[in-house]
Amino acid sequence: MSVNPSIQVYDVIGLGFGPSNLAIAGAFLENQLASPISVDRLFFIERHDEFKWHPAMLLPGAQMQISFLKDLATLRSPQSPLTFISYLHSQNRLLDFINRGRTLPTRKEYSDYLSWAAQYVQDRGVNVAFGEEVVALGEMDTSTIQVHSRVLSTGQHVVRLAKNLIISPGGSPRIPGPLATTWIQERMIHSSTYLTSVIPLLDSLQSRNAGRSPLRIAVIGSGQSAAEIVIDLHLRLTGIPVIGEKAHTLDLIIRKGSLKPSDDSPFVNEIFNPETTNVAFWMSSHSARQQLRLEYANANYGVVNPHTLELLYEIMYDQKLDEGISRRTKRTMPLTKPKFTILNHSEVLSAETSRTSNGGTSRSELEPLTLILQQTLTHDIYESSYDAVICATGYERRSWLRLLTNSSLGKYFGLDANAQDYTGLEAEAKLQEDAVDCNGFSTFGVGDANDQSNSPNAAMSSGSNTPASLDWASDWPREEKEPTKKICISRAYRLLPTTHHGEPKLQARIYVQGLAEETHGLSDTLLSVVGVRAGEVVDDLCKHFMSDDTVPGCQAFDSIIGSRMA
């Protein structure tokens, strides 16, 4: 495709405008007088039609899992106008928040803070194209990247040019393999669309339930989102009347023996400190970093906040109390609450839907969905039927890799379409003898042969970060094939192109955010480091722009942001 040569070339284009790239915009804005990159040379592209942060999981009363001080800016620059405290002050709620006596804001308030910050940077000249989906990347030359996007409301194709790219895509819903092949949109939903889908789902089920028989709903997952959805669904089902002697059924299907609490104790929480990123990145081998992630997995993966666990256990205890009273008094208790059960040690093997007599599937009169489950301790296989299934199974983060692989930029990183599923990240070699060839191929020794380097991470749209804890794997990490190809990444989150003698080298820089847990540690997909990481990325970009120059601006900028690469 030919590109109009008069198109403006932006210094930086950011893919996604969630917390990560919002923090990037803030870091540039705070230091615009010293930065060699002016605010009007930044551009961000976001799929949502306005700023949104996990709108489908803003459940009533849901709280953040991190302190309000781990916001977009405080850990990088406490005097920034984009801190959570600045937001509270601007809304005349600072004293009220102090009187509240808690360091954890509600998810609703944190979402509003992020929305406020997004409007703040836009009001000061940061350009954002909402309602556009990035569909392809290309190159004008080795110094200029083409970004192709589609306006979702009109289908218009837009091409923009950038000297540098910051990819912060969040994640896509991860659907368990056994369900992916039988996915029925009307009766299966992912937690990423829960709040926008649950009411239409329940209305649809009731409209086809003229006899008002009990509904059967399964939730799959063992993390924070799964627990919160069960609590919310329990309340919603309580308000739906039934006829007969049975109550609604609400099953939570988990591979573990029980739900586990997240460890947020002070010493464990240090794994999320920005300084720990240095520790993880400069470890001697991939296997050492993997071991560190395994040690602290219970701080984030497949675990539930203790307060949420208490609420969930209270539901089960109240259920047992009602059953005990009924047995003792020999009186039938009113069927006002759903029957809640945790199906532990259970693995979903497959899913089946009933067929009509002509062999087709009737979308208007579907029989229950049948899940084929295996009890992982005894290996017994059993079936359970449901009217609806909700997957709180986390997110996958491979869209950025597909975008690069399918573009002409892929060749600079040794990528090809056949290898994209087996490509991982590796920290840049700090010594000649480090065990990775940055031309793209792993050269691990025998001792590393069984490493699983793909992060089981996940977030939602192009501008989101993974909420709370990931809910996919109860026995994280699950066995995955060792990536046979590596893309090297710098400490400053820049993807490092391969170098082959006599071939041109990509001069444009590509950075990634929220995608490098396997090299930068457990906090990379979380909000804990977005402020500091933004400073590191912006600092590296500044040095790139000002290298071989004597303009004093970069030195001033460097002194403000500070080098965090040591």
Side-chain angles (χ1 to χ4, degrees), residues 228-356:
E228 290 179 1
I229 286 173
V230 165
I231 293 171
D232 185 75
L233 265 179
H234 190 272
L235 182 60
R236 293 178 189 275
L237 289 174
T238 299
I240 299 177
V242 295
I243 294 178
E245 298 181 356
K246 291 187 177 181
H248 299 303
T249 296
L250 179 57
D251 289 347
L252 177 62
I253 301 173
I254 64 174
R255 284 196 292 260
K256 298 178 181 179
S258 64
L259 295 174
K260 300 290 194 290
S262 56
D263 188 343
D264 62 351
S265 56
F267 291 109
V268 169
N269 258 344
E270 289 186 353
I271 193 65
F272 302 119
N273 288 1
E275 292 79 7
T276 308
T277 303
N278 281 330
V279 175
F281 188 84
W282 295 117
M283 280 184 161
S284 60
S285 69
H286 164 81
S287 59
R289 285 191 294 272
Q290 176 75 347
Q291 195 59 43
L292 183 67
R293 293 165 64 206
L294 283 169
E295 180 182 351
Y296 289 93
N298 66 341
N300 184 53
Y301 287 102
V303 290
V304 184
N305 177 273
H307 175 69
T308 307
L309 283 179
E310 291 175 2
L311 295 176
L312 201 58
Y313 197 84
E314 194 66 29
I315 289 175
M316 296 204 74
Y317 185 82
D318 187 65
Q319 180 174 286
K320 291 179 180 180
L321 174 61
D322 286 343
E323 292 169 352
I325 292 174
S326 180
R327 285 193 301 269
R328 183 182 65 79
T329 63
K330 296 182 173 54
R331 297 175 185 171
T332 301
M333 301 292 288
L335 299 178
T336 57
K337 301 174 184 177
K339 170 72 172 178
F340 171 48
T341 305
I342 296 178
L343 303 181
N344 60 349
H345 294 300
S346 295
E347 178 87 25
V348 179
L349 299 181
S350 63
E352 299 175 357
T353 57
S354 298
R355 299 284 175 175
T356 60

Side-chain angles (χ1 to χ4, degrees), residues 455-471:
S455 166
N457 300 348
M460 289 173 48
S461 81
S462 58
S464 302
N465 290 71
T466 307
S469 59
L470 183 142
D471 306 303

Side-chain angles (χ1 to χ4, degrees), residues 125-397:
V126 172
N127 299 299
V128 185
F130 288 103
E132 291 189 24
E133 180 179 33
V134 176
V135 294
L137 298 176
E139 58 175 322
M140 281 280 288
D141 50 51
T142 59
S143 299
T144 311
I145 296 173
Q146 297 176 2
V147 180
H148 298 256
S149 61
R150 182 179 64 248
V151 180
L152 296 177
S153 61
T154 65
Q156 177 188 0
H157 185 201
V158 182
V159 181
R160 297 181 179 90
L161 303 179
K163 295 179 181 177
N164 300 279
L165 208 60
I166 303 178
I167 304 175
S168 307
S172 305
R174 185 193 292 268
I175 307 299
L179 296 181
T181 56
T182 55
W183 192 260
I184 300 175
Q185 196 68 34
E186 297 89 344
R187 304 174 67 202
M188 295 177 171
I189 62 177
H190 186 269
S191 58
S192 60
T193 64
Y194 177 72
L195 272 183
T196 55
S197 302
V198 65
I199 294 177
L201 172 68
L202 294 177
D203 287 346
S204 173
L205 293 178
Q206 290 181 80
S207 68
R208 287 180 280 159
N209 187 19
R212 294 167 74 180
S213 56
L215 299 177
R216 293 178 55 87
I217 299 179
V219 178
I220 302 175
S222 60
Q224 185 71 26
S225 296
E228 290 179 1
I229 286 173
V230 165
I231 293 171
D232 185 75
L233 265 179
H234 190 272
L235 182 60
R236 293 178 189 275
L237 289 174
T238 299
I240 299 177
V242 295
I243 294 178
E245 298 181 356
K246 291 187 177 181
H248 299 303
T249 296
L250 179 57
D251 289 347
L252 177 62
I253 301 173
I254 64 174
R255 284 196 292 260
K256 298 178 181 179
S258 64
L259 295 174
K260 300 290 194 290
S262 56
D263 188 343
D264 62 351
S265 56
F267 291 109
V268 169
N269 258 344
E270 289 186 353
I271 193 65
F272 302 119
N273 288 1
E275 292 79 7
T276 308
T277 303
N278 281 330
V279 175
F281 188 84
W282 295 117
M283 280 184 161
S284 60
S285 69
H286 164 81
S287 59
R289 285 191 294 272
Q290 176 75 347
Q291 195 59 43
L292 183 67
R293 293 165 64 206
L294 283 169
E295 180 182 351
Y296 289 93
N298 66 341
N300 184 53
Y301 287 102
V303 290
V304 184
N305 177 273
H307 175 69
T308 307
L309 283 179
E310 291 175 2
L311 295 176
L312 201 58
Y313 197 84
E314 194 66 29
I315 289 175
M316 296 204 74
Y317 185 82
D318 187 65
Q319 180 174 286
K320 291 179 180 180
L321 174 61
D322 286 343
E323 292 169 352
I325 292 174
S326 180
R327 285 193 301 269
R328 183 182 65 79
T329 63
K330 296 182 173 54
R331 297 175 185 171
T332 301
M333 301 292 288
L335 299 178
T336 57
K337 301 174 184 177
K339 170 72 172 178
F340 171 48
T341 305
I342 296 178
L343 303 181
N344 60 349
H345 294 300
S346 295
E347 178 87 25
V348 179
L349 299 181
S350 63
E352 299 175 357
T353 57
S354 298
R355 299 284 175 175
T356 60
S357 58
N358 62 7
T361 301
S362 169
R363 289 302 179 98
S364 60
E365 297 181 0
L366 278 174
E367 293 296 321
L369 307 164
T370 300
L371 298 184
I372 312 301
L373 303 163
Q374 183 174 45
Q375 219 284 344
T376 58
L377 296 182
T378 64
H379 303 292
D380 291 337
I381 294 175
Y382 65 102
E383 297 181 359
S384 192
S385 296
Y386 300 98
D387 298 298
V389 175
I390 299 174
C391 295
T393 46
Y395 304 84
E396 62 92 12
R397 293 172 179 265

